[in-house]
Amino acid sequence: MCGITGWIAYNADLTHQQASIDAMTQTLANRGPDASGVWTSRHAGLGHRRLAVIDLDGGTQPMTATTPAGPVVLTYSGEAYNFAALRRRLTARGHTFRTASDTEVVLNAYLEWGEQLVDHLTGMYAFAVWDGRSEQLLLVRDRLGIKPLYYYPTPDGVLFGSEPKAILAHPAVAPRVDQDGMREILLGVKTPGHAIWHGMRELRAGSLATCDRSGLRERVYWQLSARPHSDDPAATAERTHDLLQQSVHEQLVADVPRCLLLSGGLDSSAIAGYAAQHLTAQGRRLRSFSVDFVGHADHFTPDGHNVSPDAPYVQAVVDHLGADHTNLVLDAGRLADPAIRRAAIRARDLPVGRGDMDHSLLQLFTAIRDHSTVALSGEGADEMFGGYWWFHDPNLRQAPAFPWLAATLGHTRQERAFLPKDLSAALDIPGYAAQRYHDAVAETPLLDGESGLQRRSRQLLYLHLTRSLPGMLERKDRLSMAVGLEVRVPFCDHRIVEYAYNIPWSQHVADSREKSVLRAAATAVIPTAVTRRVKSPYPMTRDVRYIHSLQNQVREALGTPGHHVFALIDRSAAHQAAHTDPAHHPRPQAHRALLEKFLDLHTWLDLYHPQLTL
């Protein structure tokens, strides 16, 4: 895993712009702490920061292939899990290799197939190829969008980077956020292609872009499709088992220490089971990590959707697999530390976080990085196998809204009551949410003649895979790469997604509960207690001292009445949230969310000084 950036300018000589390219590259130092490289020519400058995972001594970037017609240069982030098989195919076609890295395989794949190389890669990646023979840039992002890639068209070319901060470091780019950008920040849905920063785009998952003297063009090379499913339940479970086992085994390939993020839920436990199976056959032991909070068991009170703490199930999996396990226990004071919030917002470039859930994850990754460079995680299973409770709530299933938002608010209309009245009217968040929802539903791949139940189930899966999962992947990438940790997500193998999307909904709920197919597939590798466990969300601290600390920070901010945050959050709403006893608030989750959003926006404004054109 690495960080990439670059600048293409057809009307300039970039050999005189080394300082700007260096500055863009330096912003990604956390993504690649092991090495830095920059390549420049008259019209192209490519930067790279390396986190060495495969072929630690080789794989230096940007990597150049010299041809009679000009250089072909690659700056690459991610992993091509099928690189060994591709290397053998390319060798048979006459290619030779100087290193053992997957980077060189990708470069030679481009030399062999051009932009059609995307059809030959399996993995998570974002990369740029400058082809000096045609003076054309190619940008590529993996099928699920696991690895990020942003671009910013200019009058004579383009800027690009793994994160917005790389593009924002260019002297010609102003940190502007307009109305649509603020709508994205406040809504909680990740619209494909939208980068929030004005003038910037995120290359969509499963897409590539080319830039030459005639301009920039983006096209989709992969997308979900609806296909008939002929496997019976037993065959479906077996096929899911085989696909997940293959994905986990492929993603364990690394030349550095590996580990697994374990929550005691079905998803991470299944990955742990397959990983332990593979490692045990090699005479190795699984290394795993989990997160908990001081006094969490004492503060935990079951409700309709949080029915059990993680710790007992984590221990059951550890005992079952014989894992070498570490449990990181965090306290409320550390979680509320403003320095942690600043670090999380710098990692994400935006105030789109999830409060203590982000803060705990960042601290977990920091602790893991002392022991491992690669971690496997369970993102994606809920979105593709129907794991969230609202998939199974009759009212939310039929509501004309993003179900996770309707579940949080308790209604479909997406009001943001904390906004100043004039801003609320200008942004019209309810109207924006409704339009984005209808756009997503309209593009859902369907089969002719499907029943109403199956049709709606496909729509819900598609909403989650294209509007919810990208935010989860962005969160995991940014917070892990902020400390130089590569997190891999085996469920997000496109072969698993394609198969799961076409499984009939009746099989997903065959035993009258969530994720029936995955439970059946993973039964052989995880303890019975975990297969029977009801889905539980990512943990958050229940310690009221955390809320009190947030309130103290908001009260302190209220003492600076001229701060720009009050253009975004109504002062009276912030004052009420800061002074209301959390034990007596009628909607404690909404109260907590407002405190978090206020502090996120306040911190972001201080760090980035964005120009708001609202």
Side-chain angles (χ1 to χ4, degrees):
M1 200 70 63
C2 307
I4 67 171
T5 190
W7 179 10
I8 306 302
Y10 291 103
N11 295 337
D13 184 349
L14 296 187
T15 60
H16 301 307
Q17 299 292 334
Q18 186 77 29
S20 292
I21 301 169
D22 286 345
M24 295 168 67
T25 305
Q26 181 58 30
T27 65
L28 303 173
N30 287 344
R31 295 186 73 91
D34 295 328
S36 178
V38 169
W39 181 92
T40 56
S41 67
R42 182 174 178 81
H43 299 306
L46 306 183
H48 188 267
R49 293 291 312 203
R50 187 183 187 206
L51 176 65
V53 172
I54 292 175
D55 188 8
L56 306 190
D57 296 325
T60 301
Q61 297 189 53
M63 184 175 284
T64 302
T66 302
T67 78
V72 178
V73 190
L74 171 68
T75 184
Y76 169 78
S77 170
E79 309 295 340
Y81 299 128
N82 63 334
F83 80 96
L86 274 179
R87 182 188 178 103
R88 290 191 293 271
R89 289 177 60 191
L90 290 165
T91 299
R93 289 171 173 260
H95 293 261
T96 59
F97 294 87
R98 297 175 290 103
T99 75
S101 68
D102 62 334
T103 304
E104 191 178 11
V105 172
V106 173
L107 179 58
N108 279 269
Y110 175 80
L111 294 173
E112 179 68 28
W113 295 300
E115 67 180 48
Q116 276 67 47
L117 90 160
V118 296
D119 299 325
H120 299 270
L121 299 176
T122 297
M124 58 176 192
Y125 40 79
F127 59 85
V129 179
W130 171 253
D131 193 330
R133 301 169 299 183
S134 58
E135 292 196 324
Q136 177 177 277
L137 178 76
L138 172 68
L139 300 174
V140 173
R141 194 172 181 207
D142 66 71
R143 294 173 180 83
L144 271 292
I146 304 167
K147 290 292 100 186
L149 186 55
Y150 296 82
Y151 66 87
Y152 185 99
T154 65
D156 70 331
V158 69
L159 303 164
F160 67 87
S162 293
E163 299 178 10
K165 58 173 60 71
I167 296 171
L168 293 171
H170 190 279
V173 179
R176 281 182 56 202
V177 174
D178 58 20
Q179 287 188 350
D180 272 355
M182 189 54 62
R183 290 176 180 122
E184 289 286 313
I185 288 172
L186 295 172
L187 181 57
V189 173
K190 192 170 174 62
T191 301
H194 207 301
I196 296 180
W197 297 101
H198 181 76
M200 196 182 299
R201 295 280 297 168
E202 184 174 26
L203 186 61
R204 293 177 60 139
S207 295
L208 61 82
T210 56
C211 180
D212 56 26
R213 291 180 182 274
S214 63
L216 188 145
R217 296 161 299 281
E218 182 176 335
R219 74 168 178 88
V220 174
Y221 69 84
W222 178 89
Q223 58 190 346
L224 278 172
S225 61
R227 306 169 187 171
H229 183 89
S230 58
D231 292 343
D232 63 22
T236 298
E238 183 178 3
R239 178 61 175 155
T240 302
H241 163 88
D242 291 345
L243 286 168
L244 186 54
Q245 183 181 60
Q246 177 186 10
S247 179
V248 171
H249 291 183
E250 288 177 349
Q251 297 192 29
L252 284 169
V253 175
D255 295 330
V256 292
R258 302 148 296 179
C259 69
L260 185 129
L261 308 180
L262 184 61
S263 70
L266 175 63
D267 313 337
S268 66
S269 299
I271 293 174
Y274 289 115
Q277 184 183 69
H278 185 69
L279 293 172
T280 299
Q282 299 176 340
R284 300 180 181 181
R285 188 181 180 194
L286 177 68
R287 186 86 164 93
S288 60
F289 291 84
S290 62
V291 67
D292 204 350
F293 307 102
V294 172
H296 186 62
D298 298 330
H299 297 296
F300 186 86
T301 302
D303 57 33
H305 311 298
N306 296 270
V307 298
S308 59
D310 289 343
Y313 296 93
V314 168
Q315 193 59 52
V317 175
V318 169
D319 293 343
H320 184 75
L321 301 177
D324 177 9
H325 184 72
T326 299
N327 185 41
L328 179 67
V329 181
L330 306 174
D331 67 83
R334 181 65 173 146
L335 283 171
D337 187 344
I340 299 295
R341 187 178 301 276
R342 286 194 295 273
I345 288 175
R346 280 199 182 278
R348 302 186 72 168
D349 289 321
L350 291 164
V352 293
R354 304 176 68 186
D356 70 295
M357 291 189 284
D358 277 5
H359 304 171
S360 64
L361 197 60
L362 183 58
Q363 290 179 75
L364 175 63
F365 290 154
T366 302
I368 290 173
R369 191 60 179 88
D370 291 336
H371 306 276
S372 299
T373 308
V374 170
L376 272 62
S377 186
E379 273 74 16
D382 287 314
E383 288 78 8
M384 62 190 72
F385 291 101
Y388 297 115
W389 66 268
W390 46 80
F391 273 104
H392 311 279
D393 182 287
N395 293 326
L396 289 172
R397 280 182 61 86
Q398 297 306 318
F402 295 107
W404 58 94
L405 297 183
T408 301
L409 290 182
H411 52 80
T412 58
R413 184 173 172 81
Q414 291 300 306
E415 296 282 6
R416 297 296 182 266
F418 55 79
L419 294 175
K421 288 184 179 180
D422 57 344
L423 182 60
S424 180
L427 295 181
D428 184 20
I429 298 296
Y432 186 78
Q435 185 60 55
R436 291 305 190 199
Y437 167 78
H438 289 300
D439 290 345
V441 169
E443 68 185 44
T444 303
L446 302 167
L447 286 177
D448 292 338
E450 288 185 313
S451 68
L453 174 65
Q454 178 63 21
R455 181 185 183 89
R456 183 55 177 163
S457 298
R458 276 199 194 275
Q459 290 172 345
L460 292 173
L461 290 170
Y462 189 79
L463 287 174
H464 283 78
L465 288 167
T466 63
R467 275 30 177 213
S468 176
L469 179 59
M472 301 293 289
L473 294 175
E474 182 267 349
R475 170 179 179 250
K476 188 60 63 76
D477 173 85
R478 298 298 183 79
L479 296 177
S480 62
M481 293 307 293
V483 297
L485 176 70
E486 175 176 301
V487 175
R488 301 176 177 179
V489 281
F491 281 109
C492 293
D493 185 303
H494 72 279
R495 296 163 295 189
I496 297 176
V497 179
E498 290 172 342
Y499 188 75
Y501 181 70
N502 288 292
I503 296 172
W505 187 249
S506 58
Q507 292 192 30
H508 280 301
V509 294
D511 54 2
S512 300
R513 60 177 307 183
E514 79 283 357
K515 291 191 286 196
S516 298
V517 170
L518 183 56
R519 290 177 194 281
T523 296
V525 296
I526 58 177
T528 302
V530 173
T531 61
R532 293 176 177 172
R533 187 187 183 192
V534 175
K535 162 70 182 174
S536 191
Y538 184 86
M540 62 171 60
T541 181
R542 306 278 183 112
D543 193 333
V544 71
R545 291 176 298 175
Y546 177 76
I547 307 299
H548 288 158
S549 181
L550 299 186
Q551 289 182 302
N552 289 336
Q553 293 173 44
V554 174
R555 283 196 287 269
E556 182 179 349
L558 285 166
T560 55
H563 198 282
H564 291 306
V565 72
F566 297 112
L568 304 177
I569 293 186
D570 182 74
R571 172 180 291 278
S572 61
H575 184 275
Q576 184 178 10
H579 292 87
T580 299
D581 184 347
H584 299 106
H585 197 285
R587 297 179 61 211
Q589 283 189 322
H591 178 223
R592 179 176 181 149
L594 175 52
L595 294 169
E596 299 278 20
K597 181 57 71 177
F598 179 94
L599 293 172
D600 276 356
L601 286 167
H602 188 279
T603 304
W604 175 64
L605 290 166
D606 284 347
L607 289 174
Y608 287 83
H609 305 288
Q611 301 171 16
L612 303 178
T613 53
L614 307 177

